[in-house]
Amino acid sequence: MNKIQQLFERKNKNILSVYFTAGYPELESTNEILTALADNGVDMIEIGMPYSDPLADGPVIQHSSSVAIANGMTIAKLFEQLGKLKLSREVPLLLMGYLNPVIQYGFENFCRDASAVGISGLIIPDLPLREYRLEYEVITKKYGLSFVFLITPETSEERIREIDNLSDGFIYAVSSSSVTGRATDESRKEDYFKRIGAMNLKNPVVVGFGVKDKATFEHACKYLNGAISGTAFINQLTGNEKSIEENTKTFLNMFR
Amino acid sequence: MTNHPDQYGFYGKFGGAYIPEMLHANVEFLQKHYQEIIDSPEFQKEFEYLLKDYAGRETPLYYAERLSKKYGASVYLKREDLCHTGAHKVNNTIGQILLAERLGKKRIIAETGAGQHGVATATVCALKGLECIVYMGETDMQRQALNVARMEMLGAKVVPAMSGSKTLKDATNEAIRDWINHPEDTYYQIGSVVGPHPYPDMVAQFQSVISKEIRAQLKEKTGTELPDYVIACVGGGSNAAGAFYHFLEDEQVKLVAVEAAGNGIESGESAATTQLGRIGILHGCKSLVMQTEDGQVVEPYSISAGLDYPGIGPLHAHLFDTGRGTFLNATDKEALDAAFELAQLEGIIPALESAHALAVLKKLDLKKSDRVVVNLSGRGDKDMATYLKYLPNQNG
């Protein structure tokens, strides 16, 4: 069992996961942010690998990605940083990014090195399900990594079942058809959460996109297993003089 | 080789649909239905009618006598520059707007670089009374102010893409994000043979009217349908796809794709993707992509705003990979020279993009008996500001 699976064994309600972009605001911020998030009690962390053309992301994550690339962040650099990371407690870490940089690194090399630095799961939204099944599943399994798929309100029930069968960590429910950081329609969101919750999937479902405070977090957790917040955290890290530790505390207090 | 990709949109190892789940339902629907819609007699009837009476097809295949004499072969120009809106782009936008209409979409979005596809999209949206939003890099909006004005006069809203390098690549990202945010009412009209399957195949089919006409016209003029060479410029590659399409299976026809070398392949300021790129993923398809060692897409350069794209359509990547296509390139300087040469030998001012295709005539080892078709994809009106800068040198 990897750390994601262990987490959901222990706790399967109110999971709070936080996303941030590696190399933002500074190249060396990565481990400082991870430490602050772990010390302040988050359940799971998604580390964004910056990409020049992040087409599923809104302006905030795009901007953090451009800054991170300009700072010199690469996959190799990220692995080097993660190799030195020591967290105070066990928190599952996932890498999230786009397929192109990953295949340039080499998919198997990527999985091997990610696993070696303590990564438990991958989220690569533009890796097609069919190719995952044909080519990549065997590799992620070999290195004990959970591959996490996205679903949206437009994803058919049949496809959700297929994704559920392929998944061994959790499913990432995008809370509206929208890029990250965009406002969403509340009543439609509720229907969607209810519908997914009622499907009795074998994997836990975590809500992403549009989660920014206690109310949106609790709303997601009412029907599903937890939520991921990214844009709101990056906003918190931006444009003030406070330390990463202080900003992380301020941010997490909004959920409590 | 055949001109169709496999059922997943692959031409050999290039193509596919590398899209986030948010676009899956829309793209899958298109994949399942585009061919039956396009093939329906009712669609074909309206498509042919609009190509003829609205866009002004067929376009002439002109025997360029003085150019032929200069290069020692029979050179024919396929006059896509005479299409309504000034370039081949309208062939595709007519096809796609008819598709969007049949899908019941009310809101049309598009990306544009130089503005030609944006103008062609705004044109057909006006024709059909549909809302039109065109994403254009902020830098390109400044460089191509006239085309911005044309789009606005046609009733379109032009939205500046402010991310990244603020050019075509970023405008495409913004258009895709818009589509993600409006999955129900919006149709994304892509301007080249790029993007997730089925776009590369769909756009190639709409542009294939170019080679269909070339075959018929050549037969009428010379008694045979097959030229020795077809030459076309390639950015994403829509005019080249159209000009090559009906010759792909005729192996004796040499297909010459001309990329923009910018200031030279090795200069760091170039857009010659097959020379500088390697396999990667951009805007939803696997193809050749200009990128850094760690997979960040780089910004290309060419004097021609229609050719500075850091990728190439998957059909072309496959033509390059298999050797079916010959990939040459022309620098800014060579393209400018070719533009002035055509203007003064034949009285035709070509678009800067098309001038790249003309520029390789001198690089081919042509025989007197060779029949060469150059796809003159667009006219040069939009490039006059650039040509003006070089006018004193050329005439002095």
Side-chain angles (χ1 to χ4, degrees):
Chain A
M1 249 204 274
N2 69 29
K3 289 179 197 165
I4 299 170
Q5 294 153 347
Q6 287 167 17
L7 168 68
F8 285 102
E9 283 266 316
R10 258 195 332 265
K11 173 179 177 185
N12 76 348
K13 286 302 286 175
N14 301 318
I15 297 289
L16 176 61
S17 182
V18 175
Y19 168 96
F20 73 99
T21 305
Y24 178 84
E26 308 290 337
L27 179 61
E28 298 301 337
S29 303
T30 315
N31 287 359
E32 206 181 328
I33 292 173
L34 285 164
T35 302
L37 287 169
D39 289 351
N40 289 286
V42 303
D43 298 303
M44 192 160 67
I45 304 171
E46 292 169 40
I47 307 167
M49 302 177 287
Y51 179 48
S52 55
D53 295 75
L55 46 79
D57 287 301
V60 173
I61 293 180
Q62 282 173 47
H63 175 73
S64 68
S65 301
S66 316
V67 171
I69 292 167
N71 286 343
M73 183 48 74
T74 63
I75 291 174
K77 178 71 192 170
L78 177 60
F79 286 155
E80 186 194 314
Q81 291 175 340
L82 295 176
K84 296 176 197 154
L85 178 71
K86 287 195 176 55
L87 294 181
S88 57
R89 47 182 273 275
E90 195 145 283
V91 181
L93 305 179
L94 291 96
L95 292 177
M96 181 164 185
Y98 292 81
L99 185 55
N100 193 51
V102 173
I103 60 174
Q104 301 308 324
Y105 193 91
F107 195 85
E108 175 142 17
N109 292 345
F110 176 79
C111 290
R112 182 197 62 211
D113 294 352
S115 174
V117 295
I119 297 294
S120 307
L122 304 177
I123 308 176
I124 306 176
D126 59 345
L127 173 58
L129 191 153
R130 176 179 161 269
E131 285 198 29
Y132 174 73
R133 224 175 28 214
L134 290 177
E135 265 185 66
Y136 299 116
E137 184 181 12
V138 54
I139 305 173
T140 55
K141 291 269 191 300
K142 178 174 167 188
Y143 293 98
L145 297 169
S146 291
F147 193 86
V148 176
F149 290 94
L150 270 58
I151 59 174
T152 79
E154 279 80 32
T155 308
S156 67
E157 177 165 347
E158 186 190 356
R159 188 168 161 89
I160 294 175
R161 299 271 175 215
E162 187 183 0
I163 285 170
D164 192 35
N165 280 329
L166 276 176
S167 302
D168 62 7
F170 63 94
I171 294 171
Y172 191 165
V174 174
S175 58
S176 76
S177 280
S178 79
V179 297
T180 50
R182 205 161 172 276
T184 49
D185 177 343
E186 288 305 314
S187 67
R188 283 182 60 186
K189 206 159 105 174
E190 174 127 9
D191 291 346
Y192 171 51
F193 293 168
K194 266 193 210 164
R195 178 164 65 85
I196 302 302
M199 282 182 76
N200 288 315
L201 300 173
K202 71 182 174 71
N203 288 279
V205 180
V206 175
V207 175
F209 298 55
V211 180
K212 55 177 192 285
D213 54 23
K214 191 161 191 273
T216 46
F217 179 66
E218 283 177 351
H219 186 223
C221 293
K222 191 169 155 195
Y223 302 100
L224 301 170
N225 308 80
I228 299 171
S229 187
T231 300
F233 183 49
I234 291 171
N235 274 332
Q236 181 67 45
L237 293 174
T238 304
N240 64 51
E241 298 298 313
K242 286 190 270 180
S243 70
I244 283 171
E245 169 76 18
E246 280 175 276
N247 271 325
T248 304
K249 278 189 173 144
T250 309
F251 171 75
L252 291 174
N253 280 336
M254 296 193 296
F255 291 84
R256 285 163 182 153
Chain B
M1 64 175 279
T2 66
N3 41 25
H4 284 290
D6 72 13
Q7 62 167 312
Y8 303 107
F10 281 91
Y11 301 89
K13 53 185 182 248
F14 306 104
Y18 296 82
I19 48 162
E21 185 64 24
M22 294 83 99
L23 291 175
H24 179 82
N26 257 322
V27 170
E28 187 185 44
F29 188 85
L30 269 182
Q31 287 173 353
K32 285 192 173 147
H33 299 288
Y34 79 106
Q35 199 63 59
E36 72 183 63
I37 295 174
I38 294 173
D39 288 344
S40 76
E42 170 269 334
F43 181 100
Q44 282 299 323
K45 192 178 161 205
E46 191 175 1
F47 185 47
E48 280 166 26
Y49 160 71
L50 288 175
L51 286 181
K52 179 170 181 286
D53 283 7
Y54 186 69
R57 303 202 72 93
E58 62 180 36
T59 59
L61 183 72
Y62 166 69
Y63 173 67
E65 194 176 339
R66 295 183 68 202
L67 202 64
S68 296
K69 199 171 163 203
K70 168 139 193 189
Y71 290 106
S74 297
V75 180
Y76 294 86
L77 303 177
K78 180 58 175 164
R79 298 291 310 274
E80 293 299 299
D81 60 316
L82 295 176
C83 284
H84 179 42
T85 73
H88 71 289
K89 291 287 185 190
V90 75
N91 303 329
N92 169 45
T93 61
I94 289 175
Q96 287 200 55
I97 206 75
L98 295 180
L99 183 72
E101 206 179 28
R102 279 150 186 80
L103 297 175
K105 304 286 184 176
K106 302 290 180 216
R107 186 174 172 273
I108 307 298
I109 58 171
E111 82 297 337
T112 197
Q116 291 304 106
H117 173 59
V119 168
T121 299
T123 298
V124 296
C125 286
L127 178 72
K128 290 292 182 182
L130 295 171
E131 185 185 356
C132 179
I133 295 119
V134 179
Y135 288 90
M136 187 168 185
E138 198 192 21
T139 309
D140 288 337
M141 284 179 73
Q142 288 160 9
R143 291 197 290 197
Q144 307 283 338
L146 194 62
N147 271 342
V148 175
R150 289 171 80 193
M151 287 183 265
E152 286 172 346
M153 183 164 173
L154 290 159
K157 185 176 166 208
V158 184
V159 180
M162 314 286 277
S163 60
S165 50
K166 302 172 186 163
T167 60
L168 176 58
K169 165 174 97 71
D170 311 288
T172 308
N173 291 335
E174 285 306 323
I176 293 173
R177 289 182 189 117
D178 180 310
W179 202 23
I180 288 173
N181 286 325
H182 301 92
E184 282 158 18
D185 61 342
T186 297
Y187 179 81
Y188 178 23
Q189 184 148 296
I190 297 184
S192 192
V193 286
V194 301
H197 174 59
Y199 281 100
D201 182 39
M202 192 159 73
V203 177
Q205 288 187 43
F206 291 143
Q207 293 294 358
S208 71
V209 64
I210 300 172
S211 47
K212 188 176 153 201
E213 289 177 4
I214 294 172
R215 280 187 87 112
Q217 290 167 319
L218 211 58
K219 170 106 184 177
E220 196 189 305
K221 286 177 201 297
T222 68
T224 165
E225 321 187 284
L226 301 182
D228 296 287
Y229 293 88
V230 180
I231 307 175
C233 64
V234 178
S238 69
N239 92 79
F244 295 167
Y245 197 86
H246 289 290
F247 298 113
L248 288 167
E249 290 175 51
D250 301 299
E251 302 280 339
Q252 68 270 44
V253 180
K254 297 180 192 75
L255 306 175
V256 181
V258 186
E259 295 180 295
N263 287 325
I265 301 288
E266 306 295 334
S267 68
E269 293 181 315
S270 180
T273 303
T274 61
Q275 304 305 305
L276 297 166
R278 59 179 196 282
I279 194 161
I281 290 156
L282 179 64
H283 298 143
C285 72
K286 190 180 271 183
S287 190
L288 296 170
V289 179
M290 290 172 60
Q291 53 188 312
T292 62
E293 195 166 329
D294 51 307
Q296 308 294 353
V297 180
V298 301
E299 192 54 31
Y301 164 80
S302 162
I303 192 171
S304 142
L307 299 180
D308 63 354
Y309 184 68
I312 186 171
L315 166 66
H316 296 299
H318 185 56
L319 292 177
F320 177 74
D321 192 49
T322 56
R324 176 67 187 93
T326 303
F327 282 71
L328 302 178
N329 53 76
T331 62
D332 289 0
K333 174 75 171 57
E334 289 168 329
L336 284 166
D337 289 346
F340 279 85
E341 180 178 87
L342 188 73
Q344 290 166 17
L345 282 182
E346 299 288 349
I348 299 168
I349 299 178
L352 264 168
E353 291 76 13
S354 322
H356 285 73
L358 293 162
V360 303
L361 281 170
K362 64 180 66 159
K363 300 183 182 185
L364 297 171
D365 187 19
L366 297 176
K367 295 194 300 284
K368 188 103 189 76
S369 60
D370 283 338
R371 289 175 311 268
V372 181
V373 176
V374 180
N375 196 35
L376 200 68
S377 56
R379 61 176 173 249
D381 308 29
K382 70 180 178 58
D383 296 310
M384 286 315 297
T386 308
Y387 289 148
L388 209 57
K389 284 189 226 158
Y390 294 88
L391 202 51
N393 308 344
Q394 295 288 332
N395 287 346

